[in-house]
């Protein structure tokens, strides 16, 4: 049973659990509140997130090839230059280092710095310099429909039912490459 208020959060938490990074780990856009991996180094441009390092992810103040894994969870839509962000991630990853990236596709505006949405094709293009790229959709049409129903007054109270119903229907009528999804989970290797 899905208990998260935001169905996107369910997919994100599932992706983080499945990633299981080892070694020296960097979390971009994280901090004390949103640290996913114990012992990781967190980077955020927002001091209030209480990151280990305050800097812009498009211009990381970290050494080349210094991390075994990078987590970039729901950050890329908030950067002014996704290619610059991915270039910096690739720069700080060791050869063979792994990336876990999540991005929204059909999702409401959720911040004053919410600039982009990404398609599968756009992600493939942006990650062309990485290898072993896997792009997994986060739900399909039913997850999207029930997610937006959740935004209504009645939906706020019924979100557990709506989230689980959308997830169940997408499981019963799966599409390998849905044309509409809440977002994507990406894994890639340098």
């Amino acid at each position: 049973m899905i208990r998260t208020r935001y169905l996107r959060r369910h997919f994100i938490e599932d992706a983080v659990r499945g990633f299981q990074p080892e070694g020296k780990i960097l979390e971009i856009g994280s901090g004390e509140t949103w640290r996913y991996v114990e012992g990781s180094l967190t980077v955020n441009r927002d001091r209030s997130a209480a990151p280990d390092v305050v800097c812009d992810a498009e211009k990381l103040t970290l050494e080349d090839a210094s991390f075994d894994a990078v987590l970039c969870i729901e950050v890329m839509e908030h950067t002014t230059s996704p290619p610059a962000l991915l270039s910096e991630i690739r720069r700080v990853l060791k050869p063979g280092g792994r990336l876990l990236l999540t991005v929204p596709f059909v999702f409401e505006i959720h911040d004053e710095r919410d600039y982009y949405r990404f398609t599968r094709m756009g992600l493939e293009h942006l990650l062309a310099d990485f290898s072993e790229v896997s792009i997994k959709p986060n739900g399909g049409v039913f997850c999207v429909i029930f997610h937006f129903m959740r935004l209504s007054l009645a939906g706020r109270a019924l979100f557990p039912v709506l989230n689980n119903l959308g997830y169940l229907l997408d499981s019963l009528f799966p599409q390998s490459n849905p044309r509409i999804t809440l977002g994507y989970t990406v894994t890639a290797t340098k």
Side-chain angles (χ1 to χ4, degrees):
M1 178 173 207
I2 297 169
R3 290 188 165 88
T4 59
R5 179 169 296 279
Y6 294 98
L7 191 49
R8 282 275 312 125
R9 182 65 44 203
H10 167 77
F11 289 107
I12 292 164
E13 290 171 0
D14 191 46
V16 170
R17 272 191 304 277
F19 189 59
Q20 300 180 348
E22 296 179 355
K24 193 173 177 187
I25 301 159
L26 174 65
E27 293 191 48
I28 296 176
S30 192
E32 198 173 286
T33 306
W34 289 106
R35 185 183 307 263
Y36 289 98
V37 180
E38 189 174 329
S40 65
L41 180 75
T42 60
V43 170
N44 200 314
R45 66 181 170 206
D46 181 2
R47 286 185 188 283
S48 69
D52 299 314
V53 177
V54 176
C55 73
D56 190 324
E58 295 173 21
K59 299 173 191 145
L60 292 171
T61 57
L62 305 168
E63 293 182 29
D64 293 358
S66 54
F67 292 92
D68 297 291
V70 174
L71 283 78
C72 187
I73 308 296
E74 303 296 283
V75 172
M76 204 157 76
E77 72 272 18
H78 300 288
T79 185
T80 57
S81 179
L85 171 65
L86 289 170
S87 178
E88 281 295 277
I89 288 171
R90 193 167 188 290
R91 180 184 67 78
V92 301
L93 273 173
K94 293 177 181 177
R98 297 180 330 140
L99 166 64
L100 173 63
L101 172 75
T102 66
V103 295
F105 178 60
V106 178
F107 198 76
E108 66 269 12
I109 295 170
H110 55 277
D111 188 86
E112 63 186 39
R113 292 184 182 179
D114 189 354
Y115 303 118
Y116 297 101
R117 293 297 179 265
F118 301 92
T119 64
R120 171 185 293 278
M121 293 75 67
L123 290 166
E124 288 170 352
H125 173 75
L126 290 168
L127 293 153
D129 291 337
F130 287 82
S131 65
E132 300 175 37
V133 176
S134 168
I135 303 171
K136 183 179 173 186
N138 298 152
V141 66
F142 295 108
C143 282
V144 171
I145 289 169
F146 287 104
H147 169 81
F148 282 102
M149 287 176 69
R150 181 199 52 77
L151 297 176
S152 71
L153 185 58
R156 285 186 214 135
L158 297 172
F159 76 86
V161 173
L162 297 173
N163 285 349
N164 282 283
L165 186 56
Y167 191 82
L168 174 67
L169 289 171
D170 275 341
S171 297
L172 291 174
F173 305 101
Q175 296 177 322
S176 61
N177 188 16
R179 293 181 59 171
I180 191 167
T181 181
L182 291 173
Y184 292 96
T185 297
V186 178
T187 56
T189 304
K190 176 178 177 180

